[in-house]
Structure formats: structure tokens, C-alpha cells
Amino acid sequence: MFLINCPFCGERDQSEFSSGGEAHIVRPKQPTELSDDEWAEYLFMRKNIKGIQFERWNHAHGCRKWFNVVRDTSNDKILSVYKMGEKPPVNYK
Amino acid sequence: MANYRIHKTEYIDETKRVSFKYDGKTYFGYEGDTLASALLANGIHLVGRSFKYHRPRGIFSCGAEEPNAICQIGSKKDLTEPNVRATELELYEGLEASSQNCWPNVKFDIGGINNFISPLIPAGFYYKTFMWPKSFWKKVYEPLIRLSAGLGKSPTEPDPDIYDHKYVHYDVLVIGGGISGIISAKMAAKNNLKTLLVDDKKILGGSTIYQNNESIKIDDKLSSEWLKNEIQEIKKLSNLTIKTRTSIAAYHGYNFLLAKENLTDHLPEEKKKNKIRQRLWKIRAKKVVIATGSIERPLVFNNNDRPGILLSNSINKYLDYYGVTCGENIILFTNNDSAYETSISLHKKGIKNIIVDLRKSASSELIKQAESLGIKIYFNHVVTNTFGYRKINSLEIMKLSEDGNTTVGNKIRLSCDCLGMSGGWTPMVHMHTQSGGKLDFRDEDQVFLPKENSEDQISVGSCNGDFDLEIIIDKTVNKINKFLDIDIQDYQDTNIICSKENDKRNIWLLPNKIPLGKTKSFIDFQNDSTAKDIKLALKEGFRSIEHVKRYTTTGMATDQGKLSNMHALGIIADTAGVKMGTLGTTTFRPPFTPLTFGTLVGRNVGKFFEVVRKTSMHEWHVENNAKFENVGQWKRPWYYPKNGENMYDAVQRESKAARDSAGILDASTLGKIDIQGTDASEFLNRVYTNAWSKLAIGKCRYGLMLNEDGMVYDDGVTTRISENHYLMTTTTGGAANVLSKLEDYLQTEWPELDVYLTSVTDHYSTASICGPNSKKILNKLFPNLDLSDENFPHMSFKEEKLENINCRIMRISFTGELSYEINIEAKYGHSLWKMCIEAGKDFNLTPYGTETMHLLRAEKGFIIVGQDTDGTMTPSDLQMDWIVSKKKYDFIGKRSLYRSDTIREDRKQLVGLLTDDPKEILEEGAQIVLDVKSKPIDMLGHVTSSYFSPNLNKSIALAVVRSGKTMKGQKLIIPMENKNINVTVSDTIFLDKENKRLNA
Ligand SMILES: [Zn+2]
């Protein structure tokens, strides 16, 4: 059970949040210009890595805000949280 | 000697006699006893039969690791509890307990015959034997296994006890109230850290608290006296909370732990009443100190399981803590120093005992003490066999060879009535590994130790592999100072004398002249697996410890292998010729000791099991005999049976009334999302498939929402209330998901849009009135409202007052009838409903439920998302191409509508079905085929909705069928269990294709 530091509310129990999968997958601005393969890349392909992963979380039972989390999936340590639209911390790349 | 209680101790209150029943017979014990100590005081060792061979088994330990003394408590249907460890159960007046797994009784057990046919029951026996013939399973094998296996009986009625949950936050949690836990807790609390100390026993002190050997001293006091003083000290600390009878069940990530506190299990029946039985503590701790101690290991030799054979240290605790001796003529069999403490204690109380020691020699102060007391010691000897059926009466020892691999010389037979064994100590690393910690293996005494201690968690004391008292105190103090970043010097000058040494001769499977196949050298006492089983599993090719464990069932009983896992690993390592540390361990899973379901669910039972959502009109529905259906958390009226009608009749009547005159539906549960902002129109354009920019103020529009993969996700009508203000409705079940999906897009993909979403589902109550007379009813309710088609046409919206309360009225229809939805602030919902019913009196206004709603919309071919769709249907599959805008550049899911898969012509598509026999009603979910003769039969699709339409007087159905769009008029077959039903593909709209009724 993680403790997640919501950038808007502070540290809360994981049960208040829902996970939204991999972060920084931008919806294409012009989907109609894309081939099936390019669209599938956006729609279906996710990394699911062991190690440092950038992911989206939603404070569903709190402020309802979405934000980003850097998590090491091998030990579940949350290394950083940052708001939507903010640049991911470079030191984890 | 009928009474084995031989001396007084401070932990047993001899002024308070307690009577209890065991297997129907009444006995006496004292307050302070456990069931096990009271039984032993009465000379009772035999407490059960083993799981597979039904061998007699006795009390084996004094704690949570107990494999044998497993009892059924009580006999009431709702309160009886199986698998309770007698070694942990505190005795109380009126306690009723019985032995388990023996029929007809513990002394004469029919399953005991398994013991004599045991050569036929090797490892994997159940897997191998009960394979064939298949027909034997249900009738022969299963009943047989069920009769002779199983551990106790479950209660058959609901648990009447009260359970509780509590969330707490601490700076430091200390698990275990032994000497190292007490020191840790004191250091933390004295440094102003909010600290919680938990221990599963009734009192603190661990195994030191009854220590009374003169050669083990702290500051010139007996270690027990010194510790009692410390306990007095910590009880004064204001920021230390001490919870006894509280055991940690699970250690999750981020220092989130679950603990079970036992509140009434030790109380007599009448004092348990109306009290909380157990409380589940949900603990968040910034730092956790694990001080869970260690448990003694058995030794593995032939017939090591007879009643009267216990762990050596348990004999010591029964003697020094409970005042009970486990025998009068005791033999202690050991490979290390700790049995000598037991021996000296017994000797001091006048109990004759001798020691058989695997070691060639040993010379610690403790051993010298034993020798000087004249205690007989057989060094370099091994026990090779034991005798006695219901209780041990003698045993055989032999000399060990130089390498310890065989026995030499002659057998020596020694009589005894009790055998204590000590194979050294196993640190309880469960908590460390549950928290994600790894283990190291220490070769010298063959133990697994916590590998690393993180900044959040640390192990101290014997669970960290420190067994020497001086080292325990020294290391605990240093580690805690560092861990908590404090500097407490209280223990710097503590003077410790400990005469024990760590020297040990570890042999996992003790040698024997008898071939292994003919011995019964038990490893797992509860599941009856032996050394032979482990070897057989290896011979048959199993290598991984996890596989061997499952194949032999070692470590899989309710004690989870606390006493057996190490020996299993050791024997595997020896047999396979590898180093034990390289094998890894099996996974230590929570809970550490079994938990009751009651503790886990707490108060969330019965009506508190799940949230129930009711509309404002709910009470009216109840008063009017509605049957309810659960839709998500909502209770929705399903149908309103009258005069003993069944569901079918009620739905037929309601459906007919709605089309013939008027019907009313409680539509309050539909999801409602208030959308405001200057970009609201643009937002709707992006989330719905159709165009929204041109929707006039005061108009309503139906919308279809897709997932990005092009599949239909939700639908509903949205009304433009003002320039920048919309009210969206969603399906009842989809409301929360739609809101969260829309929020996601707004916050992450389109943050530039000025749009605000608010869920208003619970803010409004909705009465939906439909039918040819609905306009007349509306006119009665709202006499000032111009209901003419010119002023208030289909798909439009008006605000009007009902008395002086504002209503939002939409003229929209899900039934195909002329229809109005009246929305009012939720607190007026009940009044609105009653006023509608009153106004409709002259028009046979008939309340109808969800079933009739489904029927009416099916007549019109309107889909229900989630019933006619299943997440694989595109708008085109639903024959709803009309609602997909060709002009819009983009909307959620648009690009997916022309993926290679979504443009396939042979996708499953929505069609209507008419049965050749109009009275035949199809089953929803039934498969559809073209031809039943060709094998395998090609499955074309399935029925999604099916009803008998009273308005058309025939059966109608919706279905999804491969290439269904091109099949109109095609004959198909629905094969059922006992017949084939012939159907014809039809249009999806069965009634009023021209929509005349909307303006009737
Ligand atoms: Zn928040």
C-alpha cells in the first residue's frame, strides 16, 4: 500500500488513488494523418518496464486531479511526483 | 502423579481455579494457563491425529508454531471456531474444546489404519492415485478424502461477534515485546518518538521473562528480574503505546502493517457479550523495528512425532512459566547449548533428566553447570527410534560416526515419558521478507538472516540471528541509535554474564541403520510429510523448493511450515549436494498466523457490506410493492407486481399501459454531469461522435461516446441550458467512469479548454412520464406551460415552476412515446413523484420499472450500452452510422473507426430477430447459427435482448450476428438444449418506424 504525495493535497493512502498507466504518451494532434501502425503505436503499445517508470495517477477520491509519478517498479519506491504539463525530472531518464 | 503442576509461579493465579471441557470431559486449570498448559498439568499430551496417517500427536510447542495441538473451540453453530492453537488459547471458565481430525475419537481413530498402509501413501499420493477412472472422482475419491481429511469444522451460521478496524500512525512501531523489543521501544519513546509496541502474548518479556538460570545475569540480577524492571520503566513512558495480545498479520510496502488485537478471546462467555472480539489495526509507521525472536527447531529422526515429544525450550517454559512439568523422566536431545538450560531448570525442580547431545563435546559454563549437578550427558549420540503408541515410553540411542553420516556401536535403550528436542534456533524473518527484504544464509549455524536493513525497517535480537544475550543488548542499542538517529546511552554500562555458547552440530536428517524408506522421520507434523517424501520428490525430478513444497505439501498446513521449512531445505541441499544458501527459500506470505474472516471484514457486514444508493422516491416504490434491481450501487424499481402478479405479467401490464395511456419511471439514477465554460461546445464536439456546435440553447441531443479504440463507451442525451452551460446525462452504471474519463482528457490532453465538470447525479431527482396521455398529465402539473409542439417540441427543454420550485423539463424519449422528463432538486423528488401520480390518476398513469423500460426501448430498437454492446461494438456495428459526423476533423475514437479491423465487413453487427413461432421467447445470451448439421457448428453471434412485446403481440429480440447488416430476411437457428428455434433476421426497429408516436 503506497503512500502517494499528491502534488495538490499532500501524502495520502494509495486507496484514494487510481492508476492511469504510462505517462507522457501524447494524443496525436492529427490522428487522421496517421497510418494504422502509427495509430496503434499510440493506442495500444505500452512499455511496462521493470525499473524506473513514468506513470499517471489520479487522486480519484480526493481532489480528482491527474498528475505524474516516477516509480521504481522493482521496489515500488516513488521517486518523484509532478503536475501535468510539468517536465519530467531529468535525473531519472 | 495425576497433577503435573509441581510449583507455583507468578504467572499462574492458584487462587483462581478455572474449569473447562476437553473432548467432553471436565478438567481444571488456573487463570494464567493456556489450554495447552492446563492439559499438560492434567497429564494430557495426546491432542489429535495427524493429517494423512492419523498418527497420535501431542502438544509440541508453547506458541504460534504449534503444529499438533489444534482444537475446535465451542460447539454452537455460529460461534464454533476450528484450527485454534491450544498453545496460544488462554484458558477461561467454561471453555469447551475438542480435538480435530479424529473419528470417532482421539484415542481410537479409524483413519489410523492409514498409518499401517503408509508405504502406499508416498509423496504425491493424492496426485498419483486419484487420477482415474474419472467417474470415481465424485462418487468415491472425493467423499473419502473429505471424510478423512480436513482440519475442523467451519461454523454453519453467521458470526454474531463484533469486529472492528482502526487506523493509526506512529513514528516507530516495534514488533515483539522480548528483551530487544523492549529496549528498542524504550529508546524510541524516550527520544520523544510516538511509539507502538505490540506483542502477541498476554504479557511482555518474551522468553527472558521466565529465565531463572544463575549463570545468565544482567547487572547482577537474574535476566528476568532485570527485564521486569525495564517493563515497569517503559510503562511510565507517555508516548509509548503498548498493545499485548496483538500480533502482526501482514507487513506491506511503505511500512503499512496489519495487526490483530485479541480483546475477548480469553474471557468467559458471559464477559464476551456485546464487546468487540478482535480489532484489526491498520498501522502506518515511519520506522519499524522487527524484534520477533526465533523459534526452536525440531530434529528429524525415526518416529520423532509421538505424544510426549516436545521442543526442549517449550518444556522449559511449561515448567518455569506455568509451573507444569511435561514428564517425570525426561530425555533432552540436542545439538546445541540451549537444552541445558531446560535440563538445569528441570533438575532444580527435582525432575530426573538426561541429555543426548549430537556434539562430540562441549564446554561452556552452562554445560559445566549441568555436569556438576550430575546430569547424565551422552555426547556424540543420536536418537534412532522412539517407542510408545499413545505416548512415548522409551527410545533408542546410538553413537555417531566421526563424520556424523552413520551410527556406530550398539543401541542403547532408555526409558522416558517425555522427550525434548532442540535443533537450534530459526530466526523469525517473516516480517523482514514480507516487507520486501532479502535474506542471507549463515553457514556456521545454518540460519537465514535479514540481509539488509533499510532506512525504514530494521531487525534486532534473535530474529536477526543474535542469540547471545550480551550481543543482543549491545547490537540492539547500537543499531537503534543509528536507525533512529538518536544517542541514548542508558545501556552503556550494563554488565551482562551469559554462559551459553553458539556452538552447534547441525545434521538435517539424522543417520539411522534402518533404510529411510522404512522410517517415519517427520518434517512437517501438521501435513504429515517425512524426509522420505522429500527425497522421493527429488528422485522424481523436482528441484525447485517451491515445487517440492507443493508436491509433498511440506509447509502448506495452517502453521505454514514454521517448524518444517528449514529441514526441508536442508535435506534438499544435502541430497542435491548444493550449498543451502544457494537454494533460496519459499515465500513467506501473510498472514503470519491465521486470521478470522470477521477481523478482516470488521464492521462491513450485513447492511454495511456495500454502499446502497436510493433515489428520493425510494420510499414510495417500497410502499407500492416494487421489486428492486441492483444497478451498480443503486436500488432501482424493477417492476411493480399487482395482485400477486409474477414478473412477466407485471411487465406486460406496465408496458401496455405506457403505450396505451401513460407510464412513469424513476429516472433519477441516470448519471448527470454539469458542463460549463466558454469551450463547452468544443469539448462536446471532441467527446461525442456527432456535431454539437450548432445545438441551439434550449435543445437536447442524443450523443454516442466512444473509447479511443472506436468502441461504444456510453450514450445519453445532453441539453444546452445556456450559451456556455450543458447538462449531460450518462448511463446509470457508467456515470462515474464517464466523468473520470472526461476529466482525464480535460486535464491531460486539452488543458487549454475552458471547461468545468461537476457530477450532479445526486442533486436532481427525475420523473419520466411517457405515453399518449403524458401531455395531459404535464398540463395538470404545469398549467402555465405551453406544451404545444410549436413551443415545446421533441428534443427541447423548458424551465418551469412546480408550485414555487424550479423544474427542468426535457421533452425526450427512450420509449418512442411522447415523453417528458421532469428534473427537480433531489430533496423535492418524493413530492414531485407523488404529485405526478396524483395528476395521472385519471389517465391510468402506471409506474413502471427497469424491465418495462428495457422492453419498451427494445420495441423501438434503442440500444442499451452494456447489454447490446460489450466493448467490441463500433457505431457502425450497431447500424448507427447516422450519428457519426463525417465532417468533424476529430473526436475521441474517430481514427479507430477505419482501422483494418473496424472496417471489416464480417464484424458482428446488431440486428433484429423474429421467431417463426411468435410466442417463443429467446434466451438472452443464446448462440446463433446458420446450420446445425455441419460440425463444428459455425457460431455467428448471440442474442443480446429478448422480450415478448405486448404491444406487437409477438416475441422480439436484438442480437449481434456476423455480417448481420446484409442478412435481413435470412433464416437462422438458435440451438437450445432440447430444441432448435427458427428465427428470421429483421430490422432492429419493431414498432413505429416513422416515429409518429413521439408527437401523438
Ligand atoms: Zn489530491
Side-chain angles (χ1 to χ4, degrees):
Chain A
M1 209 58 120
F2 311 164
L3 274 179
I4 300 173
N5 192 11
C6 171
F8 306 93
C9 309
E11 212 168 53
R12 299 295 165 91
D13 192 282
Q14 186 186 346
S15 57
E16 293 185 17
F17 298 85
S18 59
S19 166
E22 193 178 330
H24 302 298
I25 295 173
V26 182
R27 186 174 190 273
K29 285 272 174 284
Q30 295 172 314
T32 45
E33 318 275 299
L34 302 182
S35 69
D36 269 13
D37 281 352
E38 287 165 331
W39 180 244
E41 187 63 35
Y42 158 72
L43 193 55
F44 300 120
M45 299 307 176
R46 297 296 181 268
K47 288 202 198 89
N48 193 25
I49 32 185
K50 180 177 180 183
I52 292 173
Q53 180 163 288
F54 294 72
E55 48 196 28
R56 293 152 21 94
W57 284 79
N58 181 15
H59 196 183
H61 299 281
C63 63
R64 287 200 345 213
K65 284 283 195 182
W66 283 90
F67 57 93
N68 293 313
V69 162
V70 185
R71 180 171 65 105
D72 186 337
T73 60
S74 67
N75 61 12
D76 279 343
K77 285 244 157 61
I78 291 174
L79 306 168
S80 178
V81 293
Y82 54 101
K83 292 176 185 172
M84 282 295 160
E86 288 180 357
K87 287 228 159 60
V90 283
N91 42 330
Y92 299 115
K93 267 294 177 199
Chain B
M1 185 161 62
N3 187 6
Y4 286 79
R5 179 126 22 214
I6 58 168
H7 71 108
K8 286 187 197 300
T9 81
E10 61 192 285
Y11 306 107
I12 296 295
D13 187 347
E14 296 210 14
T15 63
K16 290 187 180 139
R17 213 163 83 129
V18 175
S19 78
F20 67 99
K21 271 190 180 163
Y22 184 71
D23 276 342
K25 213 179 144 192
T26 302
Y27 299 92
F28 295 96
Y30 296 106
E31 203 170 292
D33 266 324
T34 59
L35 176 58
S37 69
L39 287 170
L40 288 169
N42 284 282
I44 295 169
H45 280 259
L46 175 60
V47 286
R49 292 280 173 162
S50 72
F51 185 66
K52 210 155 86 184
Y53 307 121
H54 284 241
R55 283 167 70 101
R57 289 280 164 81
I59 295 164
F60 193 78
S61 73
C62 58
E65 68 271 35
E66 177 61 34
N68 296 339
I70 307 293
C71 304
Q72 183 89 28
I73 304 301
S75 53
K76 288 185 187 157
K77 282 181 179 165
D78 53 355
L79 280 170
T80 186
E81 188 179 2
N83 305 338
V84 176
R85 289 164 300 285
T87 50
E88 292 190 302
L89 181 69
E90 294 175 42
L91 200 67
Y92 55 84
E93 182 64 37
L95 167 68
E96 275 182 53
S98 50
S99 48
Q100 284 181 185
N101 203 25
C102 21
W103 183 82
N105 64 51
V106 69
K107 284 185 188 151
F108 177 80
D109 179 280
I110 288 197
I113 199 151
N114 282 3
N115 193 17
F116 301 104
I117 59 160
S118 62
L120 305 172
I121 320 183
F125 171 73
Y126 291 101
Y127 301 122
K128 288 170 186 160
T129 311
F130 298 131
M131 298 278 287
W132 49 263
K134 205 174 157 194
S135 62
F136 266 42
W137 247 116
K138 258 204 141 71
K139 283 177 188 138
V140 184
Y141 297 143
E142 203 185 314
L144 212 111
I145 293 170
R146 286 199 185 280
L147 191 76
S148 55
L151 292 158
K153 297 183 191 76
S154 299
T156 52
E157 284 177 10
D159 186 348
D161 279 327
I162 308 164
Y163 300 85
D164 205 15
H165 285 183
K166 186 170 179 170
Y167 291 83
V168 289
H169 295 257
Y170 283 93
D171 293 325
V172 180
L173 166 68
V174 180
I175 312 170
I179 190 160
S180 49
I182 287 167
I183 291 172
S184 305
K186 184 175 165 190
M187 291 175 70
K190 278 186 84 168
N191 210 64
N192 288 324
L193 295 165
K194 193 183 162 202
T195 306
L196 173 65
L197 171 64
V198 300
D199 192 90
D200 59 347
K201 300 279 188 307
K202 181 181 139 187
I203 60 160
L204 297 177
S207 58
T208 310
I209 202 75
Y210 55 89
Q211 219 296 321
N212 64 4
N213 193 297
E214 294 290 337
S215 61
I216 302 171
K217 287 195 158 178
I218 306 174
D219 283 346
D220 241 9
K221 288 183 206 150
L222 283 175
S223 55
S224 51
E225 292 306 319
W226 181 87
L227 189 61
K228 278 173 206 163
N229 205 40
E230 286 289 294
I231 293 170
Q232 287 316 311
E233 289 284 306
I234 63 166
K235 282 183 177 165
K236 292 177 205 153
L237 298 172
S238 59
N239 50 354
L240 173 65
T241 307
I242 300 171
K243 282 281 159 196
T244 51
R245 295 188 177 111
T246 303
S247 53
I248 300 290
Y251 190 154
H252 296 295
Y254 286 71
N255 279 355
F256 179 69
L257 298 94
L258 298 178
K260 178 195 73 174
E261 181 185 16
N262 239 327
L263 294 158
T264 64
D265 278 358
H266 60 288
L267 298 176
E269 215 64 56
E270 72 277 5
K271 286 193 182 159
K272 289 189 208 279
K273 276 201 184 105
N274 301 321
K275 286 188 187 141
I276 293 163
R277 182 189 170 201
Q278 289 168 351
R279 178 177 286 133
L280 189 71
W281 288 66
K282 302 185 177 187
I283 306 166
R284 283 272 185 198
K286 291 200 183 100
K287 305 230 174 195
V288 175
V289 178
I290 302 169
T292 46
S294 51
I295 54 175
E296 200 164 20
R297 288 179 189 169
L299 290 163
V300 181
F301 54 92
N302 190 24
N303 289 316
N304 59 344
D305 68 326
R306 298 191 190 283
I309 302 180
L310 292 87
L311 293 170
S312 154
N313 185 258
S314 298
I315 293 176
N316 197 4
K317 181 164 185 184
Y318 284 119
L319 184 72
D320 287 340
Y321 186 96
Y322 298 102
V324 175
T325 182
C326 294
E328 293 164 273
N329 179 19
I330 297 177
I331 295 173
L332 298 166
F333 179 28
T334 187
N335 67 5
N336 69 94
D337 269 11
S338 56
Y340 288 78
E341 275 183 76
T342 307
S343 169
I344 293 161
S345 280
L346 287 166
H347 185 87
K348 276 200 267 176
K349 299 291 178 315
I351 304 294
K352 193 185 146 211
N353 72 89
I354 58 176
I355 295 176
V356 179
D357 195 327
L358 283 173
R359 295 175 295 182
K360 288 170 187 164
S361 66
S363 57
S364 67
E365 283 303 315
L366 199 63
I367 284 159
K368 284 180 190 149
Q369 197 188 345
E371 279 170 336
S372 71
L373 291 169
I375 294 165
K376 168 83 182 158
I377 304 168
Y378 288 92
F379 279 115
N380 200 28
H381 273 72
V382 58
V383 177
T384 52
N385 207 352
T386 68
F387 306 93
Y389 184 59
R390 281 178 202 151
K391 193 174 176 198
I392 188 169
N393 59 30
S394 59
L395 54 77
E396 232 171 48
I397 64 171
M398 286 179 85
K399 209 168 185 174
L400 270 172
S401 65
E402 185 63 24
D403 58 7
N405 289 336
T406 53
T407 53
V408 291
N410 295 327
K411 292 173 187 167
I412 306 168
R413 181 112 173 198
L414 302 168
S415 70
C416 64
D417 63 353
C418 175
L419 171 66
M421 49 182 174
S422 176
W425 295 82
T426 298
M428 290 284 89
V429 294
H430 294 65
M431 289 299 134
H432 173 80
T433 54
Q434 275 187 29
S435 79
K438 301 278 182 291
L439 299 173
D440 264 338
F441 190 71
R442 187 166 71 194
D443 281 312
E444 57 199 80
D445 57 348
Q446 306 272 298
V447 292
F448 282 102
L449 302 174
K451 189 172 190 166
E452 75 294 313
N453 291 302
S454 69
E455 54 197 62
D456 309 320
Q457 176 256 90
I458 197 173
S459 292
V460 296
S462 67
C463 71
N464 194 42
D466 303 327
F467 298 113
D468 180 284
L469 192 59
E470 190 168 355
I471 293 172
I472 287 175
I473 296 178
D474 219 45
K475 269 176 91 174
T476 300
V477 172
N478 284 332
K479 285 180 90 172
I480 295 294
N481 268 333
K482 209 170 145 205
F483 180 57
L484 301 179
D485 194 18
I486 57 177
D487 187 23
I488 299 268
Q489 298 296 341
D490 288 17
Y491 300 96
Q492 202 153 47
D493 304 320
T494 309
N495 178 30
I496 303 148
I497 302 167
C498 181
S499 50
K500 254 197 298 191
E501 281 174 19
N502 263 344
D503 169 43
K504 174 175 164 184
R505 187 182 192 184
N506 198 85
I507 303 171
W508 292 112
L509 174 58
L510 294 167
N512 207 311
K513 282 274 189 294
I514 310 169
L516 184 67
K518 297 214 161 117
T519 67
K520 279 276 161 41
S521 308
F522 285 93
I523 290 175
D524 185 323
F525 292 80
Q526 209 177 83
N527 262 355
D528 256 7
S529 55
T530 62
K532 181 178 66 182
D533 294 330
I534 303 272
K535 293 237 180 189
L536 181 64
L538 290 168
K539 211 166 147 187
E540 292 184 1
F542 291 93
R543 285 294 173 270
S544 146
I545 173 66
E546 295 284 1
H547 292 159
V548 173
K549 167 180 161 169
R550 279 158 185 79
Y551 191 56
T552 61
T553 71
T554 304
M556 291 179 71
T558 63
D559 63 354
Q560 291 202 42
K562 291 187 182 74
L563 296 173
S564 60
N565 283 340
M566 290 302 293
H567 300 80
L569 270 173
I571 292 169
I572 293 169
D574 286 352
T575 310
V578 297
K579 285 193 86 177
M580 181 146 164
T582 64
L583 281 175
T585 62
T586 54
T587 313
F588 297 90
R589 289 197 176 83
F592 179 66
T593 46
L595 281 173
T596 57
F597 283 116
T599 316
L600 290 175
V601 298
R603 306 260 176 173
N604 303 322
V605 289
K607 63 178 176 177
F608 302 118
F609 179 66
E610 207 196 8
V611 175
V612 172
R613 298 172 82 184
K614 298 171 184 171
T615 71
S616 307
M617 294 85 155
H618 187 83
E619 288 314 311
W620 189 94
H621 306 317
V622 172
E623 283 161 20
N624 287 273
N625 198 30
K627 296 279 178 254
F628 289 91
E629 175 182 38
N630 293 330
V631 183
Q633 292 170 328
W634 286 103
K635 293 276 172 204
R636 294 200 72 179
W638 195 9
Y639 57 99
Y640 299 80
K642 265 186 174 174
N643 312 320
E645 276 174 332
N646 59 20
M647 174 165 162
Y648 177 84
D649 292 336
V651 170
Q652 294 290 305
R653 171 181 53 76
E654 290 170 11
S655 304
K656 197 132 183 24
R659 294 227 189 271
D660 290 349
S661 180
I664 182 167
L665 173 83
D666 180 354
S668 311
T669 63
L670 281 188
K672 296 179 265 296
I673 300 171
D674 187 90
I675 302 174
Q676 301 195 39
T678 50
D679 293 317
S681 305
E682 170 61 16
F683 179 65
L684 289 171
N685 258 333
R686 296 186 191 187
V687 301
Y688 278 130
T689 61
N690 46 349
W692 288 79
S693 1
K694 287 183 190 141
L695 183 69
I697 293 167
K699 297 288 182 199
C700 316
R701 183 164 289 170
Y702 173 77
L704 204 56
M705 200 182 287
L706 308 185
N707 253 332
E708 207 67 274
D709 63 3
M711 303 304 157
V712 171
Y713 183 72
D714 203 82
D715 68 346
V717 170
T718 295
T719 303
R720 188 168 196 174
I721 290 173
S722 65
E723 177 67 25
N724 296 322
H725 186 189
Y726 290 83
L727 182 68
M728 173 189 279
T729 60
T730 72
T731 57
T732 298
N737 291 336
V738 169
L739 180 67
S740 112
K741 177 184 155 106
L742 298 184
E743 274 289 348
D744 188 353
Y745 275 92
L746 264 185
Q747 289 180 32
T748 66
E749 298 294 350
W750 308 321
E752 72 280 5
L753 293 186
D754 175 42
V755 176
Y756 300 90
L757 307 176
T758 311
S759 167
V760 292
T761 305
D762 301 272
H763 300 202
Y764 293 96
S765 286
T766 310
S768 172
I769 300 176
C770 76
N773 283 321
S774 54
K775 196 178 275 186
K776 290 174 194 156
I777 298 167
L778 260 283
N779 188 43
K780 281 184 118 179
L781 287 162
F782 304 98
N784 299 325
L785 181 63
D786 178 359
L787 290 164
S788 68
D789 289 348
E790 296 71 45
N791 183 58
F792 197 175
H794 182 57
M795 297 307 265
S796 62
F797 152 82
K798 296 282 174 208
E799 285 192 272
E800 181 69 15
K801 287 201 169 5
L802 181 63
E803 295 187 353
N804 55 353
I805 308 302
N806 195 42
C807 291
R808 286 172 171 174
I809 307 164
M810 283 85 169
R811 184 172 162 187
I812 52 176
S813 176
F814 191 42
T815 59
E817 293 298 315
L818 172 66
S819 178
Y820 300 90
E821 271 189 25
I822 309 164
N823 293 275
I824 198 164
E825 247 184 273
K827 60 180 171 183
Y828 303 113
H830 193 233
S831 307
L832 166 69
W833 185 267
K834 283 197 294 189
M835 289 167 82
C836 292
I837 295 287
E838 184 61 32
K841 254 187 179 163
D842 300 337
F843 306 98
N844 185 31
L845 178 64
T846 302
Y848 67 93
T850 49
E851 192 63 23
T852 293
M853 174 184 82
H854 288 179
L855 191 161
L856 294 172
R857 64 85 207 180
E859 289 177 335
K860 284 290 294 175
F862 294 146
I863 58 154
I864 290 186
V865 174
Q867 176 161 345
D868 302 299
T869 73
D870 60 1
T872 66
M873 302 295 285
T874 67
S876 179
D877 296 340
L878 295 166
Q879 307 217 33
M880 290 173 79
D881 304 76
W882 56 270
I883 201 170
V884 179
S885 163
K886 301 271 182 311
K887 289 184 199 141
K888 278 203 292 182
Y889 181 71
D890 191 15
F891 55 82
I892 296 172
K894 177 177 169 108
R895 175 61 185 84
S896 288
L897 296 180
Y898 52 95
R899 286 193 285 128
S900 57
D901 185 56
T902 46
I903 54 172
R904 271 192 301 119
E905 303 268 302
D906 61 346
R907 291 177 63 83
K908 285 185 181 172
Q909 292 148 356
L910 190 77
V911 296
L913 290 183
L914 291 171
T915 46
D916 289 4
D917 171 3
K919 293 268 178 284
E920 180 83 54
I921 306 168
L922 298 174
E923 257 184 52
E924 287 172 1
Q927 293 293 318
I928 301 164
V929 304
L930 182 62
D931 166 21
V932 286
K933 287 181 198 87
S934 67
K935 303 272 163 74
I937 302 179
D938 194 14
M939 315 283 245
L940 298 180
H942 65 274
V943 178
T944 59
S945 296
S946 169
Y947 309 90
F948 187 83
S949 161
N951 301 299
L952 298 160
N953 200 25
K954 65 178 179 190
S955 158
I956 56 167
L958 295 171
V960 290
V961 177
R962 193 199 303 157
S963 304
K965 279 186 196 175
T966 61
M967 277 195 171
K968 204 177 283 181
Q970 173 77 48
K971 298 270 181 199
L972 294 172
I973 299 167
I974 312 240
M976 300 301 290
E977 207 171 7
N978 42 23
K979 63 180 168 186
N980 292 323
I981 303 170
N982 296 312
V983 297
T984 306
V985 176
S986 74
D987 202 278
T988 53
I989 306 170
F990 301 98
L991 182 121
D992 186 28
K993 215 169 268 187
E994 307 75 26
N995 289 332
K996 282 183 188 153
R997 304 180 71 98
L998 286 174
N999 298 309

